[in-house]
Amino acid sequence: MNATLIDGKELSARITEQLKTKVSELQAHGIAPSLSVVLVGDDAASQVYVKNKDKKFKDLGLASEIVRLPKDITEAELLQKIQALNEDPKVKGILVQLPLPSQIEADKVIQAIDPRKDVDGFHEQNAGALMNGQPRVVPCTPLGIMYMLQDQGVNLRGAEAVVVGASNIVGKPIALLLQKAGATVTICNSKTRNLKAHTQRADVLVVAVGKPEMIKGDMIKAGAVVIDVGINRMADGKLKGDVEFESARQVAKAITPVPGGVGPMTIAMLVVNTINASILQSPEADTSLLLKF
Ligand code: NDP
């Protein structure tokens, strides 16, 4: 079998066209979505991610600012900055780029963000809502994955879904979303015994670990849909996923490439979350305007 490529770049371009229409519609309602990205320090990968996000917003004619803060900033100073952004009515979405320097407790900072402005969906109120099956702001990467599966026409009802990786930002929320869609979900972590026995059962396999090419073709069920979230920068500068693409594509029915798979979807969903946050913070809070996928 030669798997269909799930082209995240192409899908995100299609979504962007819908977003342009929505942005014009919102202008007519006096709603101006805006994002503030807080970047602490000079981590090279973070700089690239933040620049890409900022560009996406600017390309759509949306307000976006990068709040650059020194790497030796204290936790108290950063919390003060978050508070100022919470209180600024022009700021509709706040994203704190992770990782943060070691003197700062990331969770404390995330919990300080006004949950209505938490466009990453990491605040415990948003995480709790997802846990209760009443999602409000859903983390961007899992939301993008669900959109990809929907676009591929994947029937999740009764499907065996296996998620490798159990982080708060990808593994756990995607597992909850898959379960909500009717899949039977297994979550694997670093202590999982015989990983292959789990991955081989998966009709839908989502891998979010951060270990280049750890999932080989012989660990995948014939005809599975494989979503590779991993982004690993190799010594030659190239990006690789957590799935060994060449062997996996011989077995899978459909697979996301790295780069050009989940990554572009994550940024598109950040725009979706920011637009929806802006609608809900507007005086009318007209829910009929919300983007729904
Ligand atoms: P984390 O480091 O937060 O979590 C990694 C998870 O993988 C942990 O739950 C860990 O288990 C688990 N794990 C580690 N080793 C194994 C193993 N051998 N077998 C099974 N599970 C294992 O990573 P993130 O979720 O933040 O990111 C994962 C990857 O996805 C990274 O490459 C990251 O760059 C990428 N990413 C890509 C995005 C995109 O837009 N495409 C967005 C976000 C992340 P344990 O819980 O036991 O420690």
Side-chain angles (χ1 to χ4, degrees):
M1 192 180 304
N2 220 342
T4 305
L5 207 65
I6 307 177
D7 186 342
K9 240 170 135 174
E10 184 274 332
L11 181 53
S12 100
R14 262 193 280 143
I15 294 170
T16 301
E17 287 309 308
Q18 292 178 42
L19 295 177
K20 281 183 189 159
T21 312
K22 180 56 80 176
V23 169
S24 315
E25 186 191 349
L26 293 182
Q27 260 166 7
H29 285 80
I31 298 172
S34 70
L35 176 70
S36 291
V37 178
V38 178
L39 177 61
V40 182
D42 47 17
D43 178 77
S46 293
Q47 302 266 5
V48 175
Y49 294 145
V50 164
K51 227 171 77 191
N52 289 343
K53 288 168 188 170
D54 187 57
K55 182 174 181 320
K56 182 80 185 179
F57 275 72
K58 298 233 159 85
D59 286 351
L60 279 161
L62 297 175
S64 165
E65 65 162 350
I66 302 174
V67 181
R68 292 176 192 277
L69 298 169
K71 64 171 181 289
D72 58 355
I73 190 171
T74 65
E75 190 177 89
E77 285 166 336
L78 180 54
L79 290 172
Q80 253 175 29
K81 184 70 209 169
I82 299 291
Q83 195 51 35
L85 294 170
N86 283 343
E87 286 166 9
D88 184 345
K90 289 195 299 303
V91 174
K92 306 298 184 194
I94 303 170
L95 180 157
V96 177
Q97 186 64 43
L98 301 176
L100 290 171
S102 56
Q103 76 274 17
I104 295 167
E105 205 184 310
D107 191 55
K108 220 171 176 180
V109 177
I110 289 165
Q111 302 315 327
I113 299 172
D114 181 336
R116 295 169 310 156
K117 297 189 179 187
D118 167 40
V119 286
D120 253 341
F122 298 163
H123 191 283
E124 59 192 19
Q125 278 191 28
N126 291 317
L130 177 59
M131 171 80 193
N132 285 348
Q134 308 287 335
R136 290 183 212 155
V137 189
V138 174
C140 304
T141 302
L143 191 59
I145 294 171
M146 292 307 284
Y147 192 90
M148 283 176 142
L149 295 174
Q150 185 188 312
D151 190 64
Q152 289 291 312
V154 177
N155 182 8
L156 292 168
R157 270 179 83 92
E160 286 285 341
V162 175
V163 178
V164 186
S167 69
N168 288 339
I169 66 173
V170 189
K172 283 184 211 163
I174 188 62
L176 289 167
L177 290 169
L178 290 166
Q179 186 186 44
K180 187 169 162 55
T184 303
V185 184
T186 304
I187 312 178
C188 302
N189 58 33
S190 64
K191 288 102 192 163
T192 298
R193 272 183 245 135
N194 199 353
L195 182 64
K196 188 174 177 178
H198 293 285
T199 58
Q200 275 179 335
R201 283 189 297 104
D203 300 313
V204 176
L205 178 63
V206 179
V207 189
V209 173
K211 294 201 168 139
E213 301 188 319
M214 68 173 283
I215 303 291
K216 317 281 181 201
D218 68 353
M219 298 170 77
I220 297 170
K221 180 178 173 178
V225 175
V226 178
I227 307 289
D228 187 356
V229 184
I231 301 179
N232 305 286
R233 175 89 49 194
M234 308 308 283
D236 63 3
K238 290 203 177 118
L239 294 182
K240 278 210 190 303
D242 288 348
V243 177
E244 190 181 67
F245 187 77
E246 280 313 318
S247 61
R249 75 183 309 186
Q250 309 299 322
V251 191
K253 181 169 80 180
I255 185 167
T256 59
V258 177
V262 175
M265 292 300 293
T266 298
I267 298 192
M269 293 302 126
L270 177 63
V271 181
V272 168
N273 281 350
T274 306
I275 286 179
N276 283 347
S278 310
I279 294 167
L280 292 173
Q281 287 167 67
S282 68
E284 290 81 28
D286 181 354
T287 52
S288 71
L289 290 173
L290 290 173
L291 283 160
K292 290 190 190 88
F293 292 114

